[in-house]
Amino acid sequence: MKALLKYREIWLAAAIVVLIALISTRFPAFADPGNLRQVFNDTSILMILALGQMVVILTRSIDLSMASNLCFTGMMVAMLNAAHPAIPIPVLIVTALAVGLVLGAINGLLVWRLNIPSIVVTLGTLTIYRGATFVLSGGAWVNADKMSPEFIGFQRAAFLGIPVLSWIAILVIALFFILMTRTALGRSIYAIGVNPTASVYTGIDVGRTKFIVFCISGMIGGLAGYLWISRYVIASVEVANGYELNIIAACVIGGISIAGGIGSVGGAVLGALFLGIISNALPVINISPFWQMAISGSAIILAVVLNARGERQQGRIILRKVEAA
């Protein structure tokens, strides 16, 4: 039991349970399985994006352009659907993944080949991708009446009583869990975050690995582009404006260290779920928008403080494993 309590995910899961219990005292229906299933579905896109951001942060980098990638890709597939409604949805999803991959690869190449800090690269592409969305659309919107019923309805369809959007999130979570715990790439990502110099001596190509993680985050941004537009049924230049802060906040709350090397898939998912519960619950119990922002901000600051204390006391995850061996 004492060993289990060392894991940040256990504390975060307990905090989520306590949060749900507190909210239920004011709004008992909040804890109903159907409502919790809806909260998970509402948070699915944030979970997916947080996982993409997680692999970047673990390598001591950051991707500020994910929301702009989402906006551009979402606009592209929405315009494609509006112009050619007969294109199957799987083809549109593959297109979104491919476009997102290209945008992520641009970030990765600039970081890898030109050795530019990721925060500078993605701060620039954040603006470029959103500007490209304006150029692509001419500033026009794509509304629900221009989208095909299949485009809107795919993620809303239910399988075993759960929306397809939730199933997509579960699939992405499973894939990231396998990537981070069962593959050489996952171990390389952690190793680079712990010590980039030592990683080079162990044969890891740090630049190439960073390029790959930016490609992954780009594909995730592209996937989220289709999911976002089809969920909120409107594509515009303002879509997901500023949402990159929510993505990073989910990672930080989930225990993903901004210094790299520390974090897990479970932490990123729970961090996103924590934010999702707050955003769903506070309006229900009549908390004013000002206090909603204050509570969310306080949770982020508390998470950063806990992360900093945890890193000082415990060291990096791979070093702990080596010491224990």
Side-chain angles (χ1 to χ4, degrees), residues 49 52-57 60-72 103-104 106-108 111 117-130 213-214 217-218 221 239-249 251-252 258:
L49 289 166
Q53 186 70 255
M54 178 196 71
V55 294
V56 177
I57 292 177
R60 299 189 175 188
S61 302
I62 196 161
D63 187 353
L64 298 177
S65 67
M66 287 192 83
S68 296
N69 179 335
L70 181 161
C71 179
F72 180 83
L103 299 184
I106 292 171
N107 289 334
V111 171
S118 60
I119 191 171
V120 176
V121 169
T122 57
L123 191 60
T125 53
L126 175 155
T127 307
I128 293 170
Y129 295 162
R130 201 165 286 277
V213 299
F214 274 104
S217 73
V239 161
N241 193 14
Y243 202 67
E244 54 273 355
L245 299 180
N246 295 51
I247 303 167
I248 295 170
C251 290
V252 171
I258 294 296

Side-chain angles (χ1 to χ4, degrees), residues 20-313:
I20 292 174
L22 289 174
I23 296 167
S24 299
T25 61
R26 293 280 304 275
F27 185 68
F30 189 84
D32 289 349
N35 186 65
L36 294 180
R37 191 163 56 239
Q38 184 60 44
V39 171
F40 182 90
N41 195 57
D42 290 344
T43 315
S44 292
I45 295 176
L46 180 58
M47 287 181 192
I48 293 170
L49 289 166
L51 290 170
Q53 186 70 255
M54 178 196 71
V55 294
V56 177
I57 292 177
L58 285 175
T59 61
R60 299 189 175 188
S61 302
I62 196 161
D63 187 353
L64 298 177
S65 67
M66 287 192 83
S68 296
N69 179 335
L70 181 161
C71 179
F72 180 83
T73 311
M75 177 62 79
M76 177 169 281
V77 294
M79 291 177 69
L80 267 176
N81 178 254
H84 306 284
I87 297 178
I89 300 304
V91 174
L92 289 179
I93 293 176
V94 172
T95 302
L97 288 168
V99 173
L101 172 63
V102 171
L103 299 184
I106 292 171
N107 289 334
L109 281 174
L110 291 172
V111 171
W112 178 21
R113 291 302 187 185
L114 300 183
N115 202 27
I116 303 174
S118 60
I119 191 171
V120 176
V121 169
T122 57
L123 191 60
T125 53
L126 175 155
T127 307
I128 293 170
Y129 295 162
R130 201 165 286 277
T133 308
F134 183 86
V135 173
L136 178 69
S137 64
W141 293 17
V142 180
N143 298 314
D145 58 347
K146 298 177 182 175
M147 300 176 189
S148 69
E150 293 79 13
F151 184 87
I152 298 172
F154 176 73
Q155 64 160 292
R156 290 175 169 78
F159 177 69
L160 298 178
I162 298 176
V164 169
L165 175 58
S166 294
W167 283 114
I168 293 174
I170 292 169
L171 175 63
V172 172
I173 292 168
L175 290 175
F176 270 85
F177 180 78
I178 294 170
L179 169 69
M180 300 309 296
T181 61
R182 298 289 185 273
T183 68
L185 176 60
R187 290 191 290 274
S188 298
I189 290 171
Y190 278 115
I192 290 172
V194 172
N195 192 324
T197 304
S199 300
V200 173
Y201 288 110
T202 60
I204 297 173
D205 189 328
V206 174
R208 187 186 298 276
T209 304
K210 287 190 175 182
F211 170 75
I212 292 173
V213 299
F214 274 104
C215 288
I216 293 172
S217 73
M219 290 178 69
I220 289 296
L223 173 63
Y226 162 70
L227 296 175
W228 184 292
I229 298 303
S230 61
R231 178 168 179 75
Y232 298 106
V233 291
I234 187 167
S236 76
V237 179
E238 297 300 320
V239 161
N241 193 14
Y243 202 67
E244 54 273 355
L245 299 180
N246 295 51
I247 303 167
I248 295 170
C251 290
V252 171
I253 291 174
I256 315 300
S257 172
I258 294 296
I262 297 176
S264 68
V265 171
V269 171
L270 290 172
L273 197 56
F274 186 86
L275 284 180
I277 290 171
I278 288 179
S279 63
N280 274 273
L282 296 185
V284 172
I285 57 179
N286 296 322
I287 302 294
S288 72
F290 170 77
W291 282 109
Q292 290 175 32
M293 290 188 290
I295 291 172
S296 298
S298 300
I300 294 168
I301 291 173
L302 179 61
V304 171
V305 171
L306 291 175
N307 283 352
R309 288 178 60 84
E311 289 171 28
R312 282 201 302 269
Q313 293 172 0

